[in-house]
Amino acid sequence: MVSNKNGTSLIDHRCVVGVQWGDEGKGKIVDLLSADFDAVVRYQGGANAGHTVLIGEDEFVFHLVPSGILQEGKACIIGNGAVLDLASLIDEMDGLLDRGIEHEEQIYISDRAHIVMPYHKTQDRLKEAASGKGKIGTTLRGIGPCYTDKAARKGIRTADLKDWDRFTSLVEANVESINKELAQIEGETPLDAKEIIQQYKAYRDRLLPRITNIADLLWTYHGEGKRILFEGAQGALLDLDHGTYPFVTSSSTSFLGLGPGTGFSPRQVKTVLGITKAYTTRVGGGPFPTELDNPLGEELRRAGGEFGATTGRPRRCGWIDLFALRYTIRFSDIDAMVITKLDVLDEMDSLQVCVGYEGVGTIEDHGNCFPTDLEGPIQPIYRDVPGWKGQKTTEARSLEELPQQAIDYLQYIADAVQCPIAIVSVGKERTQIIDLDPWLMPRNQVEAGRG
Ligand code: GDP
Ligand code: IMO
Ligand code: MG
């Protein structure tokens, strides 16, 4: 019996999602937590993601392979909601093998996941080039066009690799259609369907044994009482529906994407952790109210090593935006936050936190509302908070070992967004972590006896 009468799971399945614009440190946290789980599942996004895990001196960046792969024997599952660049996936798997990590048998790929085809990358590139100033600044990994084909019902799924005639005719039809578009654009050469099909034959031979019905697998694990950890990619503000549209990615990046992305029920997931940096970053175009386009922002970029794990682009940096955070915490149904990169603030003279936007509102008077359109210059409303310059957080392994100002900073965040903090990360390395037990609760919730 793994569910109670209300259907709520008795197993502590968990979900880890980003609650900013991505790159919050999900990879590190998923790697850490997966030690206590049987399976780790990626359920949306594609090779646009770059999830970094550092173990000692060894750095790994995962794009499609779930970040639990470095913990021995965990099933690492890619759900139907993800879009798969097969070449990139195989590259990643080969990279692991080159580093002596035998893992092939741990990987399971949904037979309903859509495949990112070479023409999707071409379409991504052309669309961005044609968008001029309004371009999204995508990762050029073909993500948008692949999800577009999925919604238009002309996508190619991993299941199609099992039926070669079907796969071949789908590729031929799609290539014929894009070649018509390419013929209109100067300097573009047509794609060769035969060449693509040949390439994919090799991918198929390698991956076919790993392709299976993921929903069935997850429900079976659930029935056996196994623990499942779900790993979101990107972050809630990049969510197709609830993010800063149109400057978003093309999938449901919050906890809410878990159901459609796996065929497993979000109702069975007991704990949802929202990962946020102690400040904010964004890579690509789009609104970013607390951006520090000045030496302070550069200082954050330097101290935090803020360069994209997938594209190497410098990330835009700014103060933590509690107004945005409170919004994403609610719609992503977060139980507790994980605050990462607290150590990056160690050298800051003073800190600011954003509690609202001029003309829009503040957390205090506006609660969880966040504007649908963040257009024009947005003036953040800041509060000054004391920093802890010169005191290091990197060696702390308990709350008490942190400087008092750092504890106050964390408490301020928990109070403002009305969400407890479960974990604090104080460095890149796996062991640089403060596991808060009990969680650091918002003060009013403690007073009300809910702590
Ligand atoms: P993800 O996409 O959410 O997995 O995050 P990325 O891997 O793209 O970016 C996070 C970066 O911050 C990586 O380089 C991590 O190694 C690093 N990182 C994670 N947690 C911490 C931390 O607490 N402190 C510092 N200094 N770096 C961290
Ligand atoms: P992880 O999982 C940060 C951003 C791109 C661009 C927008 C759309 O590592 O946190 P896309 O290629 O998805 O069509 O680009 O989304 N973006 C990310 N930003 N982290 C990511 O993933 C991202 N994946 C996409 O920079 O602004
Ligand atoms: Mg990343």
Side-chain angles (χ1 to χ4, degrees):
M1 177 56 181
V2 289
S3 296
N4 66 19
K5 275 200 188 126
N6 302 322
T8 316
S9 180
L10 298 180
I11 308 170
D12 192 3
H13 301 313
R14 290 193 175 201
C15 180
V16 168
V17 286
V19 285
Q20 297 174 305
W21 279 288
D23 301 328
E24 297 91 347
K26 298 176 291 292
K28 172 178 167 165
I29 301 304
V30 168
D31 162 68
L32 184 81
L33 296 179
S34 55
D36 295 330
F37 288 78
D38 299 290
V40 184
V41 188
R42 262 285 301 274
Y43 58 86
Q44 45 69 232
N48 48 351
H51 297 176
T52 315
V53 178
L54 187 74
I55 301 168
E57 301 283 293
D58 283 337
E59 186 169 272
F60 298 83
V61 180
F62 300 112
H63 303 288
L64 284 162
V65 170
S67 305
I69 199 78
L70 300 173
Q71 302 274 6
E72 236 178 287
K74 311 296 171 185
C76 284
I77 298 170
I78 306 177
N80 57 279
V83 288
L84 293 187
D85 179 335
L86 303 185
S88 168
L89 176 59
I90 290 171
D91 251 16
E92 217 172 312
M93 290 164 67
D94 285 346
L96 282 166
L97 289 177
D98 287 347
R99 294 169 81 168
I101 297 160
E102 291 290 337
H103 65 285
E104 199 109 352
E105 302 294 311
Q106 286 170 250
I107 295 204
Y108 299 86
I109 303 165
S110 167
D111 55 4
R112 291 166 193 249
H114 281 246
I115 303 177
V116 176
M117 299 298 294
Y119 48 81
H120 290 136
K121 292 189 201 169
T122 307
Q123 289 170 314
D124 203 353
R125 173 173 60 77
L126 292 175
K127 174 132 198 320
E128 283 288 271
S131 301
K133 266 185 103 182
K135 73 175 187 175
I136 290 166
T138 73
T139 58
L140 301 178
R141 296 299 190 270
I143 305 300
C146 184
Y147 279 115
T148 301
D149 277 1
K150 176 179 179 176
R153 294 159 291 182
K154 56 181 181 159
I156 304 181
R157 300 188 300 174
T158 45
D160 297 322
L161 293 169
K162 293 181 185 170
D163 179 343
W164 203 240
D165 287 341
R166 186 177 155 72
F167 180 80
T168 303
S169 57
L170 282 167
V171 174
E172 282 168 351
N174 287 346
V175 168
E176 192 183 325
S177 145
I178 178 145
N179 277 348
K180 282 187 191 143
E181 283 173 47
L182 292 177
Q184 314 294 317
I185 305 166
E186 215 186 296
E188 290 297 329
T189 44
L191 298 171
D192 183 344
K194 280 206 174 63
E195 207 175 281
I196 296 175
I197 291 163
Q198 198 54 35
Q199 237 178 6
Y200 275 69
K201 209 167 194 152
Y203 303 157
R204 180 193 69 161
D205 293 347
R206 171 77 180 272
L207 295 176
L208 217 49
R210 311 309 324 147
I211 295 173
T212 187
N213 183 326
I214 288 312
D216 187 39
L217 184 66
L218 291 177
W219 282 110
T220 302
Y221 282 173
H222 178 71
E224 292 168 354
K226 289 184 170 158
R227 282 185 83 190
I228 309 168
L229 179 64
F230 295 88
E231 174 182 16
Q234 290 81 51
L237 291 168
L238 287 170
D239 185 87
L240 179 61
D241 286 272
H242 305 286
T244 50
Y245 191 88
F247 297 95
V248 293
T249 190
S250 300
S251 65
S252 297
T253 58
S254 82
F255 168 59
L256 304 179
L258 188 154
T262 58
F264 189 71
S265 172
R267 212 155 57 112
Q268 305 297 342
V269 176
K270 212 167 175 187
T271 314
V272 185
L273 294 175
I275 319 289
T276 170
K277 283 176 185 166
Y279 51 98
T280 311
T281 64
R282 168 163 213 174
V283 58
F288 180 1
T290 62
E291 180 170 16
L292 294 167
D293 195 7
N294 58 24
L296 211 49
E298 274 163 38
E299 177 54 20
L300 277 175
R301 187 175 309 120
R302 189 203 54 75
E306 295 296 355
F307 295 88
T310 297
T311 60
R313 289 178 291 177
R315 294 175 182 148
R316 300 156 66 191
C317 298
W319 296 126
I320 196 163
D321 185 341
L322 301 177
F323 193 59
L325 207 52
R326 178 142 171 188
Y327 163 69
T328 57
I329 295 263
R330 186 174 71 166
F331 87 75
S332 207
D333 203 4
I334 302 300
D335 293 299
M337 290 182 283
V338 176
I339 312 278
T340 60
K341 306 190 91 159
L342 188 70
D343 55 297
V344 174
L345 302 181
D346 285 0
E347 292 309 317
M348 292 287 152
D349 280 322
S350 60
L351 306 175
Q352 293 192 300
V353 297
C354 167
V355 294
Y357 307 147
E358 291 290 356
V360 175
T362 62
I363 282 189
E364 293 93 14
D365 67 29
H366 221 64
N368 300 298
C369 288
F370 191 75
T372 303
D373 286 309
L374 273 183
E375 277 170 0
I378 297 141
Q379 197 48 52
I381 301 167
Y382 286 119
R383 303 269 186 266
D384 291 326
V385 289
W388 52 93
K389 189 174 166 132
Q391 303 177 72
K392 286 233 160 303
T393 57
T394 46
E395 303 303 320
R397 300 292 176 266
S398 67
L399 198 64
E400 297 70 36
E401 291 173 75
L402 285 174
Q404 185 57 46
Q405 297 91 328
I407 300 173
D408 293 344
Y409 185 70
L410 295 171
Q411 186 71 62
Y412 193 106
I413 296 171
D415 291 348
V417 303
Q418 284 294 293
C419 184
I421 299 172
I423 300 174
V424 180
S425 173
V426 290
K428 283 178 102 150
E429 221 275 330
R430 202 188 233 174
T431 53
Q432 289 181 296
I433 208 83
I434 302 175
D435 193 352
L436 297 174
D437 187 14
W439 291 350
L440 181 68
M441 299 300 292
R443 269 176 299 208
N444 62 336
Q445 292 188 22
V446 176
E447 281 150 22
R450 276 178 276 160

